[in-house]
Amino acid sequence: MNTPFTPPLRPNTFKGGPDAAGRFGTFGGRYVAETLMPLILEVEAAYSAAKKDPGFDKEWRLLLKDYVGRPSPLWFAERITKHCAALAPRPGDGAKVYFKREDLNHTGAHKINAVLGQILLARRMGKTRIIAETGAGQHGVATATACALFNLPCTVFMGATDVERQQPNVFRMKLLGAEVVPVTSGAATLKDAMNEALRHWVANVEDTYYCIGTVAGPHPYPAMVRDFQSIIGEEVRWQMQEAEGRLPDMLVAAIGGGSNAMGLFFPFLDDPSVEMHGVEAGGHGVDTPEHAASLTGGRPGVLHGNRTSLLQDEHGQILEGHSISAGLDYPGVGPEHSWLHELGRVKYVNATDREALDAFQKCSRLEGIIPALEPAHALAHVLRLAPTLPADKILVMNMCGRGDKDIFTVAGHLGVTI
Ligand SMILES: *Cc1c(COP(=O)(O)O)cnc(C)c1O
């Protein structure tokens, strides 16, 4: 990366970010239209106040317990562990593999954690309408779910291409009472849906809250979504203490926008013994144009109100990301990941479509868990990594979603007609 090295924001801590302007080193910030500024500042002020209010935290945690089903279990994946040990180049090696079961949450993924936090915030702010963007439809479904629960009208912007590709989720959102607006500009995918949602927000400032689905967007969204998702890593800390009496050695998570990864990593950032790997979508390979590895194959630029690493051509035009997994094909990544990448605190690797497909099938057969294609990328990396580590090492992978939504895609790739 050609940006100058930036030291941590507070000495000896990686958890200090962002600064008052919402910057993680040279990344993040708020690059928005003047008309949007008052709104962003209103969200920031409301979130700062909510963070200090024990009543807000209590209400959110009660929802997580009784509606979402938290804490999600920490599962020792014994057959995957044995499978990795059998592949170890040095006999006796093979790390112990645990899954954090975010797939067991209501709506089937981690997204609901941050959606409920944001909907409670919108209510505190007196907002009476919710808008959201969605790519594969997972964030749209989580938002539509929370809006049904709180009787709030919900409009979801979705690229017209994605509306075609993701009919089951479009139908789910409608069942939940949401309006789905197809966006036809650009390539008619997630990036365009996000642009449209931002435009719509400017025109409806009074009554509307924009619920963002990942650690992206202008400040305070990246930090706020991270804070809500940090429940994942906080639970892993005490669950691992109960299971093994110590910290894990390695954390692995898939990276789309990066919210499930930030949620797992953040509570451990200042524990130097804990290594972290983020797994981007390698598509057909990062040496081809067909991938979505924004950190491995991108350059810094500005998109959706923040400065981060982006897939772009030589003129700075944003390129379409490609991945077998619709949840990973966002052409950018949350700005905090760009910063952690520059600092070297987190290592970013990738897994191809083919490797993810293979891991998807192994997980189904070895653990009786059909994973979403997104965490199948993380698992593909675990299957490469765990066999090379000593047997006393403990690895935690974020099983951030269940695979029911992906069975048609997988069947197609395996040449099976359902
Ligand atoms: C949305 C989604 C992702 C990608 O988003 P992140 O912000 O990177 O977590 C990954 N996995 C699942 C199951 C998802 O639904």
Side-chain angles (χ1 to χ4, degrees):
M1 198 161 286
N2 49 18
T3 45
F5 180 81
T6 321
L9 297 170
R10 279 196 268 125
N12 305 318
T13 174
F14 291 95
K15 291 209 282 189
D19 67 13
R23 283 181 304 244
F24 299 93
T26 63
F27 300 104
R30 35 187 161 217
Y31 297 82
V32 295
E34 213 174 331
T35 39
L36 208 53
M37 250 342 242
L39 273 152
I40 300 286
L41 293 175
E42 191 193 344
V43 173
E44 187 187 14
Y47 178 57
S48 306
K51 256 205 300 202
K52 292 184 202 114
D53 178 356
F56 179 83
D57 188 68
K58 196 173 158 203
E59 196 179 0
W60 176 62
R61 283 177 198 268
L62 194 66
L63 282 169
L64 291 182
K65 175 173 158 287
D66 293 337
Y67 191 65
V68 177
R70 302 203 73 91
S72 67
L74 183 67
W75 169 246
F76 171 42
E78 193 168 0
R79 291 196 65 208
I80 288 278
T81 298
K82 285 191 174 137
H83 174 80
C84 291
L87 296 175
R90 282 175 312 220
D93 276 2
K96 210 167 170 180
V97 179
Y98 282 83
F99 292 162
K100 178 61 171 163
R101 298 291 309 276
E102 292 297 296
D103 59 319
L104 294 177
N105 294 340
H106 180 43
T107 68
H110 61 289
K111 294 223 168 62
I112 192 81
N113 302 328
V115 165
L116 287 171
Q118 289 187 72
I119 299 300
L120 289 182
L121 185 69
R123 275 161 53 94
R124 271 177 78 104
M125 294 171 73
K127 301 294 179 188
T128 53
R129 272 186 82 231
I130 305 296
I131 59 168
E133 84 295 335
T134 200
Q138 295 303 104
H139 177 59
V141 169
T143 306
T145 298
C147 287
L149 182 65
F150 287 104
N151 191 25
L152 287 165
C154 173
T155 303
V156 180
F157 294 90
M158 190 170 187
T161 312
D162 289 331
V163 170
E164 279 309 307
R165 289 194 292 206
Q166 310 289 339
Q167 276 299 322
N169 274 341
V170 173
F171 186 61
R172 277 186 193 105
M173 287 184 263
K174 289 182 177 168
L175 281 175
L176 292 160
E179 178 197 12
V180 179
V181 177
V183 175
T184 50
S185 56
T189 56
L190 177 58
K191 155 177 76 72
D192 313 293
M194 219 165 161
N195 283 334
E196 194 55 38
L198 282 167
R199 263 196 294 276
H200 180 91
W201 199 22
V202 177
N204 297 272
V205 291
E206 283 305 319
D207 60 350
T208 303
Y209 179 86
Y210 179 18
C211 181
I212 295 188
T214 189
V215 285
H219 178 65
Y221 282 97
M224 177 169 66
V225 171
R226 172 204 71 196
D227 291 347
F228 289 132
Q229 292 296 359
S230 292
I231 187 80
I232 300 171
E234 284 164 16
E235 285 177 5
V236 168
R237 273 193 98 92
W238 65 256
Q239 288 173 321
M240 188 52 80
Q241 191 60 39
E242 260 178 18
E244 301 274 356
R246 66 180 184 85
L247 291 174
D249 299 294
M250 178 89 72
L251 305 174
V252 179
I255 309 265
S259 69
N260 86 84
M262 272 324 302
L264 176 64
F265 296 169
F266 188 72
F268 295 95
L269 283 178
D270 289 334
D271 296 294
S273 70
V274 183
E275 243 187 87
M276 302 173 197
H277 291 184
V279 187
E280 297 192 296
H284 297 158
V286 288
D287 48 352
T288 75
E290 304 273 281
H291 65 79
S294 326
L295 284 169
T296 310
R299 282 182 290 122
V302 172
L303 181 69
H304 299 142
N306 70 89
R307 183 174 187 276
T308 192
S309 190
L310 302 170
L311 297 177
Q312 48 190 310
D313 68 14
E314 70 269 32
H315 308 295
Q317 292 298 313
I318 305 303
L319 298 170
E320 277 302 303
H322 164 84
S323 170
I324 188 174
S325 154
L328 297 183
D329 65 4
Y330 181 58
V333 63
E336 194 166 7
H337 284 293
S338 294
W339 183 60
L340 292 169
H341 178 243
E342 189 181 76
L343 296 174
R345 176 62 185 94
V346 178
K347 188 175 166 193
Y348 294 88
V349 298
N350 61 82
T352 63
D353 288 354
R354 192 180 293 272
E355 289 172 308
L357 202 55
D358 180 55
F360 179 98
Q361 294 170 83
K362 286 212 171 93
C363 189
S364 302
R365 294 202 172 198
L366 289 172
E367 292 293 334
I369 296 169
I370 301 178
L373 276 169
E374 294 88 356
H377 286 73
L379 184 61
H381 181 59
V382 168
L383 295 175
R384 296 186 301 227
L385 183 68
T388 68
L389 300 172
D392 62 352
K393 294 287 177 195
I394 300 170
L395 189 157
V396 178
M397 188 204 94
N398 200 0
M399 180 58 77
C400 57
R402 63 176 180 232
D404 305 45
K405 67 182 176 63
D406 293 317
I407 57 169
F408 296 98
T409 306
V410 171
H413 282 272
L414 298 178
V416 177
T417 316
I418 298 182

